[in-house]
Amino acid sequence: MLSIPWLSSCFLETQILVYILLFGLAAIAILTWPRNKHVVLDPRGRAVLITGCDSGFGNQLAHRLLDMGFTVFAACLFPDGEGAQSLITRASPGQVKVIRLDVTSDKEMEQAKQYVLDNLPDKGLWGLVNNAGISMWGMVEWLTIEKYQKVLDVNLLGSIRTTLAFAPLVRKTKGRMVFMSSMNAYATALNGIYSMTKAGLEKFCDCLRLEMNQFGVKVCIIEPGNYAPATNIQPRETAEKVWASLPAEAKKINSKEFIENATTILNEKLDGGSKNSYEVVDAIVDALTSPTPKARYLVANFAEKVAVYLYLWLPTLLFDQIIYLSIKTLRSHNN
């Protein structure tokens, strides 16, 4: 005869499976729910502020919004650079306003805010796109505290600093706030310094989205996969440069061969990324203009989406083992 504890265990396991199935069906229903993808918003007289417009997604988004008829405040680190000048030469007179902005500077942020206030079009600041970001890679002990502070100040605190400055203006128009995160906020390996800032940004946005909802402001997160060739956010590295930058203690536990293998794999991964930056720009435009924008836009290939879903669904111990095996395989090449 079957024991009661065994039956109870089976019953509980069946319950868990049912809950997982129902959760999965609900998720599919939500993701496939019909959404109005037509742009019904009239961009005339509405402004959007974009940080990080020197190149990459920010520059391409600025061009797209200008073509649509928005007024664009293009925040650039180098306002005299090629990216900023390409916006000026393409736009109609007065349609684009290039601003010098280092998102880590309180002084420059205050100056940018005053400039925007003095030059707002009739319908105000409709959108804020926090796009500025930098990337570094390496294991935790490979990097100095100064590097951690630098990436944190740009990717996380820079976005917070920009939000605090311009949130009142977006609230007045019941507009949109869009944040550039990454799939690395979930699945990560060899780039904890970057992932840390994006995970922090996600939680900041979750809080902001709930708080801004009462004012009619939509907060959206963009989570791109590997688009390194399209943005060059993470330049290719050489093993010699990485080895030379390692702290002394890190050199004791990592061989040069391991560094060479890791660098080779990183460069291959970067080269294998998508060049179709328009996919990410499309997601940002939808977040700015759709009557029913998503809270999160995961813009990634099939394998990257699987990695994110495995992270979210698998027990942490099991997911860690998958990542650990890949690192272990990398180290075994040195033996």
Side-chain angles (χ1 to χ4, degrees):
M1 179 178 292
L2 295 176
S3 64
I4 298 301
W6 189 91
L7 287 173
S8 176
S9 175
C10 289
F11 178 70
L12 289 174
E13 290 178 0
T14 302
Q15 276 189 316
I16 292 172
L17 289 174
V18 170
Y19 290 148
I20 291 175
L21 178 60
L22 291 175
F23 180 79
L25 291 174
I28 292 172
I30 292 172
L31 291 174
T32 57
W33 190 267
R35 299 174 62 249
N36 187 350
K37 290 184 176 296
H38 298 290
V39 177
V40 296
L41 181 76
D42 184 2
R44 292 173 297 180
R46 299 180 193 271
V48 177
L49 171 67
I50 312 168
T51 63
C53 283
D54 295 277
S55 60
F57 296 137
N59 186 269
Q60 295 169 47
L61 174 64
H63 279 286
R64 176 81 68 85
L65 295 182
L66 288 171
D67 289 342
M68 293 172 65
F70 282 98
T71 297
V72 174
F73 290 97
C76 298
L77 195 57
F78 304 104
D80 296 325
E82 181 180 348
Q85 293 305 306
S86 70
L87 294 171
I88 295 173
T89 56
R90 180 169 180 172
S92 302
Q95 189 186 7
V96 64
K97 322 245 184 223
V98 174
I99 310 172
R100 153 74 193 186
L101 179 59
D102 176 355
V103 296
T104 69
S105 169
D106 291 327
K107 180 180 179 180
E108 290 193 14
M109 189 63 68
E110 186 59 35
Q111 291 173 343
K113 179 181 178 181
Q114 189 58 53
Y115 180 84
V116 170
L117 283 168
D118 293 340
N119 292 274
L120 277 175
D122 296 340
K123 297 179 182 178
L125 185 65
W126 170 256
L128 171 63
V129 181
N130 278 291
N131 168 74
I134 59 175
S135 178
M136 296 183 189
W137 76 282
M139 292 189 169
V140 170
E141 294 181 88
W142 294 10
L143 305 161
T144 63
I145 191 63
E146 289 77 18
K147 290 181 178 179
Y148 278 100
Q149 289 172 332
K150 181 177 181 180
V151 178
L152 184 69
D153 205 10
V154 175
N155 292 3
L156 179 56
L157 298 181
S159 291
I160 295 174
R161 187 176 286 110
T162 309
T163 301
L164 293 177
F166 293 99
L169 297 181
V170 178
R171 187 164 52 243
K172 286 182 180 179
T173 64
K174 297 183 179 180
R176 305 294 167 82
M177 295 183 179
V178 183
F179 293 79
M180 185 63 68
S181 182
S182 169
M183 65 160 286
N184 288 300
Y186 305 104
T188 178
L190 293 178
N191 63 348
I193 186 172
Y194 182 72
S195 300
M196 168 195 70
T197 62
K198 295 305 182 182
L201 184 64
E202 295 257 346
K203 288 307 169 187
F204 172 74
C205 291
D206 286 342
C207 294
L208 184 66
R209 184 178 63 254
L210 295 173
E211 294 172 7
M212 284 293 171
N213 183 62
Q214 63 181 310
F215 302 111
V217 176
K218 304 294 186 183
V219 177
C220 306
I221 306 172
I222 312 297
E223 301 169 332
N226 180 9
Y227 284 85
T231 65
N232 200 35
I233 187 174
Q234 176 61 68
R236 290 173 60 89
E237 297 281 8
T238 64
E240 293 77 13
K241 181 180 177 181
V242 174
W243 177 259
S245 69
L246 293 183
E249 191 62 32
K251 290 182 178 180
K252 294 180 182 179
I253 59 174
N254 295 281
S255 66
K256 285 186 177 180
E257 290 77 16
F258 176 70
I259 301 300
E260 290 172 356
N261 287 338
T263 305
T264 298
I265 290 174
L266 170 75
N267 289 333
E268 290 175 351
K269 182 178 180 181
L270 294 174
D271 293 340
S274 175
K275 298 179 182 179
N276 300 327
S277 55
Y278 69 86
E279 296 170 343
V280 178
V281 174
D282 286 348
I284 302 174
V285 170
D286 188 78
L288 287 170
T289 60
S290 171
T292 54
K294 300 178 182 178
R296 283 177 167 80
Y297 292 78
L298 178 58
V299 190
N301 62 35
F302 177 77
E304 291 168 337
K305 288 181 179 179
V306 168
V308 170
Y309 295 144
L310 287 177
Y311 171 86
L312 293 173
W313 285 64
L314 288 181
T316 301
L317 181 62
L318 181 55
F319 186 81
D320 284 354
Q321 285 300 312
I322 296 173
I323 300 299
Y324 174 71
L325 285 175
S326 64
I327 297 176
K328 185 178 180 180
T329 301
L330 179 60
R331 287 193 181 278
S332 67
H333 290 166
N334 301 326
N335 300 329

